[in-house]
Amino acid sequence: MNLKIQITICLFVLLGLVTACDTFKDEITPDSTTYAEVPKSLDGIWQLKTVSRNGTDITHAMDFSRFRLHLDKDNTYTMENYLPFLVKKNGKWKIDDPIFPFFLVFKQEGTDEEAKTEISYPIVNGKRQITLSFSPGCVGNSYVYSFEKVEK
């Protein structure tokens, strides 16, 4: 076979391979689909599930499950069956960021002071929880309260 014919055949094969390839085109553009984090909904009734003090689980020391924290949509809160907590009276609540909350802030009725606590917002066994870390009164004692949202 002639060298010119071989080169011509190779060029056609190469040209055929290059044009025959289907290039991937992403049909989703940044403008066509928006991926946004949904604001966290903390409103609802929260039942205390676990309690630790200074790193020790004390959940079974007493019946903590009766304590309920009601976080209402109008940003007011009430407490049921009070336990040592960040605040002693009902009042108003807010979070620092609706999408990625790191702090939950309570403001008791009749005071201008705010009580701020760290918050985590995990899903455990398919249920939403909130975990609050704080030191009520004595700085030497730190508590971690884990709440689970309860149906009304």
Side-chain angles (χ1 to χ4, degrees), residues 10-11 17 28 57 70 81 89 102 116-117 130 138 151:
C10 285
L11 285 175
L17 288 174
I28 300 174
D57 186 355
H70 297 253
N81 301 308
K89 297 178 184 176
F102 289 103
K116 187 177 192 179
T117 180
I130 55 173
C138 178
E151 300 300 320

Side-chain angles (χ1 to χ4, degrees), residues 46-105:
W46 297 90
Q47 177 183 12
L48 191 54
K49 294 305 254 183
T50 62
V51 177
S52 68
R53 181 180 61 214
N54 301 328
T56 302
D57 186 355
I58 61 169
T59 305
H60 301 292
M62 63 182 280
D63 184 12
F64 290 103
S65 67
R66 294 181 42 179
F67 180 65
R68 301 274 201 289
L69 179 61
H70 297 253
L71 299 176
D72 297 324
K73 283 186 186 262
D74 66 355
N75 288 84
T76 58
Y77 70 88
T78 56
M79 295 173 285
E80 230 181 286
N81 301 308
Y82 182 80
L83 289 171
F85 193 58
L86 208 64
V87 290
K88 292 182 180 178
K89 297 178 184 176
N90 299 331
K92 297 217 173 257
W93 67 276
K94 65 181 178 181
I95 51 178
D96 61 326
D97 186 309
I99 296 174
F100 300 109
F102 289 103
F103 294 99
L104 179 58
V105 180

Side-chain angles (χ1 to χ4, degrees), residues 12 35 60 84 89 91 98 131 143 147-148:
F12 278 119
Y35 299 101
H60 301 292
K89 297 178 184 176
T131 301
Y143 289 86
F147 292 87
E148 189 174 275

Side-chain angles (χ1 to χ4, degrees), residues 103-121:
F103 294 99
L104 179 58
V105 180
F106 295 94
K107 185 176 173 187
Q108 294 184 106
E109 294 172 347
T111 182
D112 289 331
E113 293 181 33
E114 295 182 335
K116 187 177 192 179
T117 180
E118 292 180 23
I119 183 175
S120 62
Y121 196 67

